[in-house]
Amino acid sequence: MQFQNFVFDSLPSTQDWAKEHVQEFDPEKIACITAEEQTKGRGRFQRKWITPKGKNICATLVFRLPSNSLHLISLGQTFTLSLAKVLIKEGLKPQIKWPNDILLSQKKLAGVLCEIVFQNENADVFLGVGVNVNPTEEEMNQIDQPATSLKVETKRTWDKNALFEKVKKQFAEDLQRFKKLGFEPFHHEFENLLAFKHQEIEVFDGVKKWKGILHSLTNDGQLNLYLPDKTIKTVLSGDITPRIE
Ligand code: BTN
């Protein structure tokens, strides 16, 4: 699939702009909205997402799939894996904090926000991605959770646009496979990169906090949690925190 690019200096949020303009996009292409800065960036669970000007990858990809496509809910994970694969090719050792975060040195490097709008037989998919590329350690310390950037990890400045072009290319390939087979071809690769595997974690599924051991991933990308009563709880989506006694 080809890309239709929309490039901005500043936007409140590429995700919100994409949702407001979706009717103008070519449904045969992947629309790619990028901004040098966001003034009202948002993450999962209504959290704020800070993008200092000119330093980070800040983008939303939009495309249309049939609403009955296999494993639609795992498209965010598929994109997260595309990004992780590019980072591995760049010589880094990313881990994935299920479902959609990329960690380097146990700190957050990138996050993906996947939102799907269903309209009759179509699903419009909005994949927002933020990658901390060139902020300094001081800038990263201002974030309210342990976070890092490529510059902090590698002690060099990165060409964020060149890096994002590689991510787009990787994802366009992965999307072709996803369309045919859903998340299944990505399942093991994703599972191999999981952070906190076989460790005690808490998962907030939006309603309830579950405590257990991170057991495995289902074929369609859901998380299997081994509960203290020796049963498996499968969680569709949520937020993980490791349990430190
Ligand atoms: C998360 O980790 O909670 C997901 C963060 C997603 C941030 C990106 S930046 C580009 C796009 N526009 C937004 O407002 N959010 C996403």
Side-chain angles (χ1 to χ4, degrees):
M1 253 173 134
Q2 286 184 333
F3 288 90
Q4 185 185 19
N5 296 315
F6 300 86
V7 179
F8 292 91
D9 192 43
S10 179
L11 277 181
S13 156
T14 55
Q15 198 82 357
D16 293 338
W17 190 89
K19 286 185 158 178
E20 284 156 23
H21 293 82
V22 63
Q23 300 308 335
E24 299 157 31
F25 302 159
D26 181 344
E28 302 302 319
K29 294 183 178 169
I30 302 174
C32 174
I33 300 94
T34 52
E36 291 296 315
E37 80 170 344
Q38 289 186 130
T39 52
K40 264 193 167 173
R42 57 190 181 84
R44 297 176 69 230
F45 298 104
Q46 318 300 328
R47 294 184 192 125
K48 275 191 192 162
W49 185 265
I50 313 281
T51 312
K53 191 155 191 169
K55 299 212 165 182
N56 286 346
I57 292 173
C58 167
T60 296
L61 301 182
V62 187
F63 47 92
R64 184 165 285 179
L65 294 181
S67 54
N68 61 359
S69 302
L70 206 58
H71 308 160
L72 262 187
I73 200 80
S74 299
L75 265 166
Q77 282 150 272
T78 307
F79 181 76
T80 305
L81 182 62
S82 307
L83 175 56
K85 288 192 285 196
V86 170
L87 295 173
I88 291 169
K89 282 185 203 151
E90 296 292 325
L92 298 160
K93 291 193 167 66
Q95 283 195 303
I96 298 176
K97 179 172 167 248
W98 182 88
N100 292 347
D101 286 355
I102 301 263
L103 307 182
L104 276 184
S105 309
Q106 281 98 48
K107 294 181 197 152
K108 183 155 169 169
L109 178 85
V112 172
L113 176 67
C114 177
E115 297 176 314
I116 303 178
V117 177
F118 290 93
Q119 268 182 12
N120 305 322
E121 71 278 12
N122 291 324
D124 285 329
V125 182
F126 299 82
L127 283 176
V129 58
V131 186
N132 302 322
V133 181
N134 287 321
T136 60
E137 200 151 3
E138 293 71 51
E139 285 170 309
M140 293 319 303
N141 288 341
Q142 285 161 23
I143 295 175
D144 60 359
Q145 59 173 308
T148 193
S149 71
L150 289 176
K151 184 176 184 143
V152 170
E153 294 299 317
T154 62
K155 319 275 181 250
R156 71 173 173 94
T157 302
W158 288 65
D159 181 339
K160 67 180 171 62
N161 296 333
L163 183 66
F164 191 50
E165 284 308 313
K166 292 180 188 172
V167 176
K168 283 162 69 179
K169 186 165 178 277
Q170 180 66 56
F171 180 66
E173 278 172 30
D174 291 340
L175 183 59
Q176 288 312 110
R177 285 179 88 193
F178 184 96
K179 281 185 186 173
K180 291 192 194 113
L181 300 160
F183 189 70
E184 180 82 55
F186 308 103
H187 168 215
H188 288 296
E189 218 173 342
F190 192 99
E191 200 173 50
N192 285 338
L193 293 177
L194 271 183
F196 316 123
K197 219 184 307 168
H198 307 139
Q199 290 179 30
E200 287 209 13
I201 56 163
E202 286 183 359
V203 187
F204 178 62
D205 66 5
V207 181
K208 193 180 155 173
K209 228 177 211 180
W210 298 88
K211 289 180 187 173
I213 291 172
L214 196 163
H215 182 275
S216 56
L217 210 64
T218 63
N219 289 355
D220 60 354
Q222 301 181 56
L223 193 78
N224 284 326
L225 197 61
Y226 184 70
L227 300 181
D229 68 3
K230 297 188 168 55
T231 59
I232 294 278
K233 162 78 188 163
T234 302
V235 186
L236 181 65
S237 185
D239 199 32
I240 288 185
T241 37
R243 283 188 74 197
I244 304 147
E245 297 295 323

